[in-house]
PDB file of all heavy atoms in Angstrom:
ATOM      1  N   GLY A 401      80.466 -27.284 111.418  1.00 81.00           N
ATOM      2  CA  GLY A 401      81.062 -25.991 111.124  1.00 81.00           C
ATOM      3  C   GLY A 401      80.269 -25.148 110.249  1.00 81.00           C
ATOM      4  O   GLY A 401      79.111 -25.461 109.886  1.00 81.00           O
ATOM      5  N   GLU A 402      80.834 -24.031 109.821  1.00 84.00           N
ATOM      6  CA  GLU A 402      80.122 -23.060 108.960  1.00 84.00           C
ATOM      7  C   GLU A 402      81.044 -22.775 107.790  1.00 84.00           C
ATOM      8  O   GLU A 402      82.196 -22.361 107.957  1.00 84.00           O
ATOM      9  CB  GLU A 402      79.825 -21.807 109.722  1.00 84.00           C
ATOM     10  CG  GLU A 402      79.156 -20.753 108.841  1.00 84.00           C
ATOM     11  CD  GLU A 402      78.943 -19.426 109.603  1.00 84.00           C
ATOM     12  OE1 GLU A 402      79.434 -19.301 110.696  1.00 84.00           O
ATOM     13  OE2 GLU A 402      78.359 -18.510 109.002  1.00 84.00           O
ATOM     14  N   TYR A 606      96.277 -20.458 115.558  1.00 97.00           N
ATOM     15  CA  TYR A 606      94.981 -20.490 116.233  1.00 97.00           C
ATOM     16  C   TYR A 606      93.832 -20.206 115.259  1.00 97.00           C
ATOM     17  O   TYR A 606      92.790 -20.797 115.382  1.00 97.00           O
ATOM     18  CB  TYR A 606      94.998 -19.485 117.360  1.00 97.00           C
ATOM     19  CG  TYR A 606      93.715 -19.437 118.166  1.00 97.00           C
ATOM     20  CD1 TYR A 606      93.437 -20.445 119.100  1.00 97.00           C
ATOM     21  CD2 TYR A 606      92.697 -18.494 117.942  1.00 97.00           C
ATOM     22  CE1 TYR A 606      92.284 -20.437 119.828  1.00 97.00           C
ATOM     23  CE2 TYR A 606      91.528 -18.451 118.689  1.00 97.00           C
ATOM     24  CZ  TYR A 606      91.304 -19.480 119.620  1.00 97.00           C
ATOM     25  OH  TYR A 606      90.140 -19.465 120.359  1.00 97.00           O
ATOM     26  N   ILE A 607      94.110 -19.319 114.306  1.00 96.00           N
ATOM     27  CA  ILE A 607      93.026 -18.902 113.405  1.00 96.00           C
ATOM     28  C   ILE A 607      93.662 -18.322 112.125  1.00 96.00           C
ATOM     29  O   ILE A 607      94.756 -17.822 112.183  1.00 96.00           O
ATOM     30  CB  ILE A 607      92.102 -17.835 114.099  1.00 96.00           C
ATOM     31  CG1 ILE A 607      90.879 -17.520 113.253  1.00 96.00           C
ATOM     32  CG2 ILE A 607      92.929 -16.569 114.339  1.00 96.00           C
ATOM     33  CD1 ILE A 607      89.878 -16.578 113.964  1.00 96.00           C
ATOM     34  N   SER A 618      86.989 -25.229 110.925  1.00 92.00           N
ATOM     35  CA  SER A 618      87.713 -24.361 111.871  1.00 92.00           C
ATOM     36  C   SER A 618      86.778 -23.499 112.717  1.00 92.00           C
ATOM     37  O   SER A 618      87.201 -22.979 113.753  1.00 92.00           O
ATOM     38  CB  SER A 618      88.733 -23.477 111.166  1.00 92.00           C
ATOM     39  OG  SER A 618      88.094 -22.485 110.386  1.00 92.00           O
ATOM     40  N   ARG A 619      85.553 -23.316 112.219  1.00 94.00           N
ATOM     41  CA  ARG A 619      84.554 -22.480 112.942  1.00 94.00           C
ATOM     42  C   ARG A 619      85.139 -21.133 113.258  1.00 94.00           C
ATOM     43  O   ARG A 619      85.267 -20.695 114.355  1.00 94.00           O
ATOM     44  CB  ARG A 619      84.110 -23.225 114.224  1.00 94.00           C
ATOM     45  CG  ARG A 619      83.376 -24.538 113.896  1.00 94.00           C
ATOM     46  CD  ARG A 619      83.428 -25.538 114.986  1.00 94.00           C
ATOM     47  NE  ARG A 619      82.548 -25.222 116.120  1.00 94.00           N
ATOM     48  CZ  ARG A 619      82.394 -25.994 117.215  1.00 94.00           C
ATOM     49  NH1 ARG A 619      83.046 -27.151 117.278  1.00 94.00           N
ATOM     50  NH2 ARG A 619      81.615 -25.624 118.140  1.00 94.00           N
ATOM     51  N   TRP A 620      85.466 -20.470 112.120  1.00 95.00           N
ATOM     52  CA  TRP A 620      86.189 -19.194 112.190  1.00 95.00           C
ATOM     53  C   TRP A 620      85.449 -18.120 113.058  1.00 95.00           C
ATOM     54  O   TRP A 620      86.090 -17.468 113.871  1.00 95.00           O
ATOM     55  CB  TRP A 620      86.358 -18.674 110.791  1.00 95.00           C
ATOM     56  CG  TRP A 620      87.447 -17.598 110.692  1.00 95.00           C
ATOM     57  CD1 TRP A 620      88.746 -17.747 110.374  1.00 95.00           C
ATOM     58  CD2 TRP A 620      87.209 -16.205 110.876  1.00 95.00           C
ATOM     59  NE1 TRP A 620      89.352 -16.548 110.362  1.00 95.00           N
ATOM     60  CE2 TRP A 620      88.504 -15.557 110.692  1.00 95.00           C
ATOM     61  CE3 TRP A 620      86.105 -15.425 111.164  1.00 95.00           C
ATOM     62  CZ2 TRP A 620      88.646 -14.179 110.789  1.00 95.00           C
ATOM     63  CZ3 TRP A 620      86.263 -14.042 111.307  1.00 95.00           C
ATOM     64  CH2 TRP A 620      87.497 -13.436 111.124  1.00 95.00           C
ATOM     65  N   ASP A 621      84.154 -17.994 112.846  1.00 95.00           N
ATOM     66  CA  ASP A 621      83.422 -16.968 113.573  1.00 95.00           C
ATOM     67  C   ASP A 621      83.498 -17.186 115.088  1.00 95.00           C
ATOM     68  O   ASP A 621      83.614 -16.245 115.863  1.00 95.00           O
ATOM     69  CB  ASP A 621      81.981 -16.924 113.083  1.00 95.00           C
ATOM     70  CG  ASP A 621      81.871 -16.330 111.675  1.00 95.00           C
ATOM     71  OD1 ASP A 621      82.842 -15.689 111.206  1.00 95.00           O
ATOM     72  OD2 ASP A 621      80.791 -16.499 111.068  1.00 95.00           O
ATOM     73  N   GLU A 622      83.385 -18.437 115.533  1.00 95.00           N
ATOM     74  CA  GLU A 622      83.449 -18.726 116.934  1.00 95.00           C
ATOM     75  C   GLU A 622      84.850 -18.444 117.493  1.00 95.00           C
ATOM     76  O   GLU A 622      85.008 -17.918 118.639  1.00 95.00           O
ATOM     77  CB  GLU A 622      83.073 -20.170 117.199  1.00 95.00           C
ATOM     78  CG  GLU A 622      81.616 -20.490 116.823  1.00 95.00           C
ATOM     79  CD  GLU A 622      81.273 -21.932 117.041  1.00 95.00           C
ATOM     80  OE1 GLU A 622      81.475 -22.423 118.147  1.00 95.00           O
ATOM     81  OE2 GLU A 622      80.806 -22.553 116.080  1.00 95.00           O
ATOM     82  N   ARG A 623      85.914 -18.779 116.738  1.00 96.00           N
ATOM     83  CA  ARG A 623      87.262 -18.483 117.171  1.00 96.00           C
ATOM     84  C   ARG A 623      87.440 -16.952 117.277  1.00 96.00           C
ATOM     85  O   ARG A 623      88.126 -16.441 118.193  1.00 96.00           O
ATOM     86  CB  ARG A 623      88.265 -19.079 116.217  1.00 96.00           C
ATOM     87  CG  ARG A 623      88.403 -20.600 116.289  1.00 96.00           C
ATOM     88  CD  ARG A 623      89.326 -21.147 115.283  1.00 96.00           C
ATOM     89  NE  ARG A 623      89.390 -22.605 115.346  1.00 96.00           N
ATOM     90  CZ  ARG A 623      90.256 -23.340 116.032  1.00 96.00           C
ATOM     91  NH1 ARG A 623      91.256 -22.649 116.707  1.00 96.00           N
ATOM     92  NH2 ARG A 623      90.248 -24.612 116.084  1.00 96.00           N
ATOM     93  N   MET A 624      86.906 -16.226 116.329  1.00 97.00           N
ATOM     94  CA  MET A 624      87.011 -14.779 116.367  1.00 97.00           C
ATOM     95  C   MET A 624      86.331 -14.211 117.595  1.00 97.00           C
ATOM     96  O   MET A 624      86.817 -13.263 118.223  1.00 97.00           O
ATOM     97  CB  MET A 624      86.428 -14.175 115.082  1.00 97.00           C
ATOM     98  CG  MET A 624      86.618 -12.697 114.921  1.00 97.00           C
ATOM     99  SD  MET A 624      88.419 -12.291 114.773  1.00 97.00           S
ATOM    100  CE  MET A 624      88.296 -10.515 114.484  1.00 97.00           C
ATOM    101  N   SER A 625      85.185 -14.775 117.960  1.00 97.00           N
ATOM    102  CA  SER A 625      84.457 -14.319 119.167  1.00 97.00           C
ATOM    103  C   SER A 625      85.333 -14.520 120.425  1.00 97.00           C
ATOM    104  O   SER A 625      85.326 -13.712 121.343  1.00 97.00           O
ATOM    105  CB  SER A 625      83.152 -15.055 119.282  1.00 97.00           C
ATOM    106  OG  SER A 625      82.284 -14.758 118.244  1.00 97.00           O
ATOM    107  N   GLU A 626      86.056 -15.649 120.449  1.00 97.00           N
ATOM    108  CA  GLU A 626      86.947 -15.910 121.583  1.00 97.00           C
ATOM    109  C   GLU A 626      88.040 -14.839 121.660  1.00 97.00           C
ATOM    110  O   GLU A 626      88.373 -14.364 122.727  1.00 97.00           O
ATOM    111  CB  GLU A 626      87.549 -17.313 121.455  1.00 97.00           C
ATOM    112  CG  GLU A 626      86.615 -18.427 121.691  1.00 97.00           C
ATOM    113  CD  GLU A 626      86.197 -18.516 123.170  1.00 97.00           C
ATOM    114  OE1 GLU A 626      86.914 -19.067 123.958  1.00 97.00           O
ATOM    115  OE2 GLU A 626      85.099 -17.976 123.472  1.00 97.00           O
ATOM    116  N   LEU A 627      88.596 -14.447 120.483  1.00 97.00           N
ATOM    117  CA  LEU A 627      89.648 -13.436 120.520  1.00 97.00           C
ATOM    118  C   LEU A 627      89.086 -12.101 120.935  1.00 97.00           C
ATOM    119  O   LEU A 627      89.736 -11.348 121.717  1.00 97.00           O
ATOM    120  CB  LEU A 627      90.233 -13.264 119.109  1.00 97.00           C
ATOM    121  CG  LEU A 627      91.116 -14.457 118.617  1.00 97.00           C
ATOM    122  CD1 LEU A 627      91.646 -14.171 117.185  1.00 97.00           C
ATOM    123  CD2 LEU A 627      92.255 -14.741 119.553  1.00 97.00           C
ATOM    124  N   LYS A 647      87.771 -21.799 124.091  1.00 95.00           N
ATOM    125  CA  LYS A 647      86.882 -22.858 123.612  1.00 95.00           C
ATOM    126  C   LYS A 647      87.616 -23.788 122.669  1.00 95.00           C
ATOM    127  O   LYS A 647      87.295 -24.949 122.533  1.00 95.00           O
ATOM    128  CB  LYS A 647      85.685 -22.219 122.917  1.00 95.00           C
ATOM    129  CG  LYS A 647      84.634 -23.204 122.454  1.00 95.00           C
ATOM    130  CD  LYS A 647      83.465 -22.432 121.841  1.00 95.00           C
ATOM    131  CE  LYS A 647      82.404 -23.394 121.297  1.00 95.00           C
ATOM    132  NZ  LYS A 647      81.254 -22.652 120.714  1.00 95.00           N
ATOM    133  N   PHE A 648      88.681 -23.283 122.004  1.00 95.00           N
ATOM    134  CA  PHE A 648      89.409 -24.121 121.018  1.00 95.00           C
ATOM    135  C   PHE A 648      90.830 -24.391 121.466  1.00 95.00           C
ATOM    136  O   PHE A 648      91.713 -24.653 120.627  1.00 95.00           O
ATOM    137  CB  PHE A 648      89.391 -23.408 119.685  1.00 95.00           C
ATOM    138  CG  PHE A 648      87.975 -23.159 119.132  1.00 95.00           C
ATOM    139  CD1 PHE A 648      87.383 -21.908 119.345  1.00 95.00           C
ATOM    140  CD2 PHE A 648      87.288 -24.147 118.528  1.00 95.00           C
ATOM    141  CE1 PHE A 648      86.084 -21.699 118.861  1.00 95.00           C
ATOM    142  CE2 PHE A 648      85.997 -23.969 118.057  1.00 95.00           C
ATOM    143  CZ  PHE A 648      85.409 -22.709 118.226  1.00 95.00           C
TER     144      PHE A 648
END
Side-chain angles (χ1 to χ4, degrees):
E402 178 188 5
Y606 183 78
I607 189 174
S618 70
R619 295 155 74 178
W620 195 93
D621 288 344
E622 295 177 54
R623 288 176 182 266
M624 187 63 177
S625 296
E626 289 291 278
L627 291 180
K647 183 178 179 180
F648 302 97

